[in-house]
Amino acid sequence: MIKTNSVLDAKGLACPMPIVRTKKVMNGLEAGEVLEVQATDKGSTADMKAWAESTGHQYLGTVEEGTVLKHYLRKASGEEHEEKKHEKVISNEELLQKIEENQYTIVLDVRESAEYAFNHIPSAKSLPMGELEERFSELDKESEIFVICRTGSRSDLAAQKLTAAGFKQVVNVEPGMSQWNGPTQKSVDE
């Protein structure tokens, strides 16, 4: 059994809530303490890894027990690390304008495939956060890429990863699909 200092029940919560709750609990832990986050959101594994990386906390690993994912994180030692944010950001409205002006735009949707299937921007490419690094080769490092998720959190982490991997023109879309007013489509059989 893995020894932890605290357990967070985030079962039944969807992005970004597991991260929001994790951040709150981590703020109350002492440096070096370990948190177990219990989640059922399949995208939470990639989210926890990316969030830990962006904040300086240590992602230790995930254990699957049935439908529950148990994520283990260790609070950063020493000085608190300020959460990094991707510097280039565009609003939903600005992205919609670019799409309507028929500018060549690559919209990269990093939500889980089920989220994408029920509601996405017609031209968007689905590339779930958990598959991002292994699928970098599908993207052109010189093209302007607009990264979108449900709220701007996962897309922020994805934008940081893309930039770190050498992509030159990466832009995070905020607040994301939760407040998207432009055209959408489904790709599920009705």
Side-chain angles (χ1 to χ4, degrees):
M1 186 159 148
I2 301 170
K3 184 183 179 316
T4 61
N5 301 94
S6 189
V7 176
L8 169 62
D9 183 351
K11 296 187 289 281
L13 300 176
C15 180
M17 292 314 296
I19 295 294
V20 170
R21 298 248 175 105
T22 298
K23 183 190 281 188
K24 188 174 183 180
V25 173
M26 283 297 250
N27 286 339
L29 294 179
E30 297 293 322
E33 288 187 333
V34 175
L35 171 64
E36 175 184 304
V37 180
Q38 299 175 353
T40 50
D41 179 1
K42 296 215 179 294
S44 65
T45 301
D47 294 347
M48 289 292 169
K49 284 181 187 175
W51 177 79
E53 194 174 285
S54 76
T55 58
H57 298 302
Q58 184 180 1
Y59 170 79
L60 302 173
T62 298
V63 175
E64 273 188 65
E65 289 184 3
T67 60
V68 177
L69 300 165
K70 293 183 175 182
H71 307 293
Y72 296 92
L73 304 163
R74 182 178 172 274
K75 181 158 180 171
S77 300
E79 294 180 0
E80 280 299 322
H81 291 63
E82 189 173 315
E83 193 167 352
K84 295 180 213 155
K85 287 287 201 182
H86 187 69
E87 59 199 37
K88 294 180 186 171
V89 178
I90 189 172
S91 70
N92 285 3
E93 293 75 22
E94 291 169 310
L95 177 60
L96 180 57
Q97 185 177 355
K98 281 186 171 285
I99 292 169
E100 287 174 345
E101 290 172 355
N102 289 323
Q103 292 184 18
Y104 179 69
T105 51
I106 298 173
V107 179
L108 187 64
D109 192 321
V110 296
R111 296 175 301 154
E112 291 302 306
S113 57
E115 293 173 280
Y116 176 88
F118 282 98
N119 179 32
H120 63 271
I121 297 169
S123 61
K125 175 181 178 63
S126 176
L127 209 165
M129 181 71 173
E131 301 172 18
L132 185 63
E133 291 176 85
E134 64 195 41
R135 294 177 59 190
F136 279 158
S137 63
E138 295 176 28
L139 304 168
D140 177 12
K141 288 191 175 195
E142 302 302 320
S143 293
E144 189 171 32
I145 302 171
F146 298 93
V147 189
I148 195 165
C149 70
R150 192 170 77 81
T151 63
S153 296
R154 273 182 281 185
S155 55
D156 180 76
L157 297 168
Q160 290 178 47
K161 286 186 173 290
L162 286 162
T163 301
F167 289 83
K168 309 279 187 240
Q169 302 180 70
V170 182
V171 183
N172 184 27
V173 181
E174 289 182 348
M177 292 303 292
S178 64
Q179 294 181 36
W180 179 256
N181 293 320
T184 61
Q185 69 183 45
K186 291 182 181 183
S187 56
V188 292
D189 297 326
E190 296 181 333

